[in-house]
Amino acid sequence: MTTLLEAVRRHADAQGIEGLIATPIPGLLVVRATSPSELMHDVQRPLVCLVQQGAKRVSAGARTVEFSAGDSLLVTADIPTVSQVTRASAAEPYYSLVLELDPALIVDLVAQMAPPPVADPAPLRVDPTDAETADAALRLVNLLERPDALPVLQAPLVREMHYWLLAGRHGDAIRKLGWPDSHVQRVARAVSLLRRDYTRTVPVERLAAEAGMSASAFHQHFKAVTSLSPLQFQKQLRLIEARRLMQSQGASASRAAYAVGYESVPQFTREYGRMFGRTPAKDARALSNIA
């Protein structure tokens, strides 16, 4: 019988590329790496990552988790992360399967379940992958080789995988994503506003109003959900986008700084160096060498 590792490996190797590989199923991706990676900065959306081979480390705020084959990483908020593949080689590449969680689907499923108990609010969690989740994931990946069946079967299988995630070890944390008035949902509304308007200064009062909380309660719950203060969150959004502009469009440091909302290039340079460990100019050269 084909294992999930074999199915993920077959699909990833067939693409002949490294990194994050999209599939015809929206929100389903495979990851392949044949060597340990540089530090990778990104802003994650809620997702689950099922590691099949190798190991990885992910940090958000002050929280760091490490996980390897047989583990699942759960991200329950839109958060800036720093990640690194720590174990991979040409002989034994790193492979994982990523499913972006569908909030509408979670809301629909959670409506048929009891309210979630009090759970760890941290946005990163690692647990062993449940057998039922792995089985649903295997059938979903195998479906990639049956393109004629995709339009009929992908939605029920994606729904089933969400169900088993909700019913398994990650269930309490995921249910909060679908509970209409949970703190996670309220903070998510404020995060959406920050993502849209990250180039402008957004007062905490406006964010708190978006979340339907007082300013003091909002600050407390925002940090519990994202591991960052609203100001730190916006700063990391800006710096990650500036880095993307420098890498993908060849933007200069000053152009990237102004494009993401900085008014002072020296301030941008200092904060960039603290986050990425290199000045913008040195980082741009390093990124161009990697590309």
Side-chain angles (χ1 to χ4, degrees):
M1 180 181 292
T2 301
T3 66
L4 183 54
L5 168 60
E6 291 167 342
V8 170
R9 178 195 292 129
R10 188 166 61 243
H11 183 78
D13 289 356
Q15 310 310 307
I17 57 176
E18 296 270 305
L20 203 61
I21 305 167
T23 76
I25 298 175
L28 186 72
L29 309 103
V30 295
V31 183
R32 176 179 183 267
T34 55
S35 62
S37 70
E38 296 277 325
L39 292 177
M40 297 174 286
H41 295 75
D42 203 353
V43 181
Q44 300 289 356
R45 295 189 181 276
L47 58 79
V48 64
C49 172
L50 282 61
V51 180
Q52 301 305 301
Q53 186 167 279
K56 194 170 187 177
R57 180 186 303 118
V58 177
S59 298
R63 188 178 181 95
T64 297
V65 294
E66 300 192 36
F67 49 102
S68 56
D71 291 333
S72 292
L73 167 74
L74 176 68
V75 180
T76 57
D78 294 60
I79 50 171
T81 61
V82 183
S83 62
Q84 183 177 32
V85 173
T86 56
R87 188 166 73 244
S89 66
E92 292 190 1
Y94 170 87
Y95 292 109
S96 65
L97 180 71
V98 175
L99 178 68
E100 296 177 350
L101 298 174
D102 183 337
L105 195 50
I106 292 170
V107 168
D108 185 38
L109 289 167
V110 165
Q112 305 171 50
M113 300 179 175
V118 176
D120 180 1
L124 298 180
R125 296 166 57 96
V126 171
D127 283 300
T129 302
D130 292 299
E132 296 86 355
T133 299
D135 178 65
L138 173 58
R139 285 180 281 120
L140 195 56
V141 176
N142 282 338
L143 193 62
L144 297 173
E145 299 180 355
R146 305 291 297 273
D148 292 343
L150 276 173
V152 178
L153 297 179
Q154 71 178 45
L157 282 174
V158 169
R159 182 182 179 85
E160 181 187 347
M161 190 167 169
H162 276 73
Y163 171 80
W164 288 120
L165 287 166
L166 283 163
R169 292 180 174 92
H170 288 313
D172 293 347
I174 296 176
R175 288 185 190 195
K176 288 190 171 184
L177 294 171
W179 207 247
D181 206 35
S182 70
H183 293 143
V184 172
Q185 284 280 23
R186 291 185 178 198
V187 168
R189 295 200 294 268
V191 166
S192 294
L193 176 58
L194 270 178
R195 290 184 74 120
R196 290 195 308 270
D197 293 348
Y198 70 91
T199 62
R200 297 185 288 179
T201 299
V202 183
V204 171
E205 292 75 16
R206 184 184 172 199
L207 294 170
E210 187 76 12
M213 301 179 186
S214 68
S216 58
F218 170 73
H219 196 280
Q220 175 187 347
H221 290 300
F222 189 96
K223 192 156 190 178
V225 170
T226 68
S227 296
L228 299 167
S229 70
L231 182 61
Q232 290 170 327
F233 190 100
Q234 184 177 43
K235 183 187 297 183
Q236 292 198 20
L237 280 177
R238 287 178 170 180
L239 292 170
I240 289 170
E241 175 61 13
R243 195 178 199 229
R244 187 194 67 79
L245 290 173
M246 292 166 59
Q247 181 178 18
S248 64
Q249 299 181 19
S252 65
S254 58
R255 180 182 153 206
Y258 293 131
V260 300
Y262 276 88
E263 297 179 357
S264 165
V265 174
Q267 180 187 0
F268 167 75
T269 301
R270 287 194 301 272
E271 293 181 351
Y272 192 103
R274 282 197 291 268
M275 181 165 176
F276 298 116
R278 291 185 286 227
T279 65
K282 288 182 178 178
D283 198 36
R285 287 196 293 272
L287 290 170
S288 65
N289 291 335
I290 294 172

